[in-house]
Amino acid sequence: MIKIGVAGCGGIGSNVAMNLVRAGIKNFILVDFDKIEETNLNRQFYFKNQIGLYKAPTLMKNLKSINENLNIDFFVEKIDKNNILDFFSDCDIIIEAFDKKEFKILLIENYSTKYIISANGIGGRDLKNIKNLTFNKLTVIGDFYSDIKIYQTYSTKVMFIACLMANKVLDIIGGFSDEKI
């Protein structure tokens, strides 16, 4: 059975996971240390009554409201160089959904033999300059310039990129012809 790791359960991570559950994926590992804030609701798969809750277990609950027969492990932990190898070793594909560059690099360097789908440039509303670049088992999707520290985030762009990332996962899984999702 295919297992998907989600490193960061914010806008990209929560929406990629939601799309994959709707596509029939059933096995996940969710990792995030953060809590849901009201400012997250404009782009993340959470609801107003969930403000203040931890993202990883809340995302599991939301995903199970779509399909109660999911196999999900979650960790409320901040990933760092000392624990990075504790989470995704049995995953087939990892969704890299961190905000900070140093965590993106840490994940990519430590799981270079895994398929990794990453986002870069999800701020603003420009959809026409989104690219999909693949380097061996690493795929990066985004416009490669609109850092969320500078550009406002909009659900339209975050969801668009999350859908492209989920679709890339499905493309990869299509290559595992003898595997069940």
Side-chain angles (χ1 to χ4, degrees):
M1 291 271 212
I2 301 297
K3 185 179 275 189
I4 306 297
V6 179
C9 297
I12 291 294
S14 67
N15 285 302
V16 171
M18 182 262 305
N19 278 291
L20 291 174
V21 167
R22 292 183 191 278
I25 307 295
K26 295 182 180 166
N27 301 298
F28 294 88
I29 293 178
L30 310 175
V31 183
D32 197 305
F33 70 96
D34 208 0
K35 291 183 178 181
I36 300 159
E37 299 175 16
E38 189 162 4
T39 57
N40 301 153
L41 300 180
N42 73 334
R43 65 191 180 281
Q44 298 181 4
F45 182 47
Y46 302 108
F47 305 95
K48 191 167 185 118
N49 66 334
Q50 296 173 327
I51 293 170
L53 300 176
Y54 285 104
K55 289 180 182 179
T58 305
L59 179 56
M60 179 184 72
K61 179 182 175 188
N62 291 351
L63 295 173
K64 285 192 170 203
S65 71
I66 299 168
N67 180 350
E68 62 188 22
N69 297 314
L70 301 175
N71 300 308
I72 300 177
D73 292 320
F74 70 86
F75 299 90
V76 179
E77 289 191 49
K78 187 171 187 172
I79 292 177
D80 61 33
K81 66 181 180 177
N82 297 316
N83 68 7
I84 185 73
L85 296 175
D86 296 344
F87 303 109
F88 305 112
S89 60
D90 64 341
C91 291
D92 300 289
I93 302 169
I94 304 168
I95 302 303
E96 182 284 305
F98 294 128
D99 291 340
K100 295 187 177 178
K101 181 178 167 181
E102 61 266 22
F103 296 114
K104 291 175 179 287
I105 293 168
L106 185 64
L107 184 93
I108 291 166
E109 286 178 347
N110 281 278
Y111 288 101
S112 60
T113 61
K114 302 276 184 187
Y115 286 99
I116 298 174
I117 315 301
S118 180
N120 184 315
I122 65 167
R125 294 185 304 111
D126 174 19
L127 301 180
K128 60 184 177 263
N129 288 308
I130 293 173
K131 299 174 189 78
N132 178 332
L133 300 178
T134 299
F135 312 93
N136 298 320
K137 290 187 170 187
L138 170 65
T139 297
V140 185
I141 299 173
D143 63 26
F144 297 86
Y145 72 85
S146 62
D147 190 315
I148 62 173
K149 291 177 186 169
I150 300 168
Y151 292 82
Q152 184 173 339
T153 52
Y154 293 91
S155 178
T156 51
K157 188 169 185 179
V158 171
M159 286 293 292
F160 187 75
I161 291 172
C163 287
L164 292 172
M165 292 172 73
N167 203 57
K168 180 63 178 181
V169 170
L170 297 175
D171 288 346
I172 292 167
I173 290 171
F176 301 159
S177 58
D178 59 343
E179 294 281 339
K180 292 191 176 230
I181 58 173

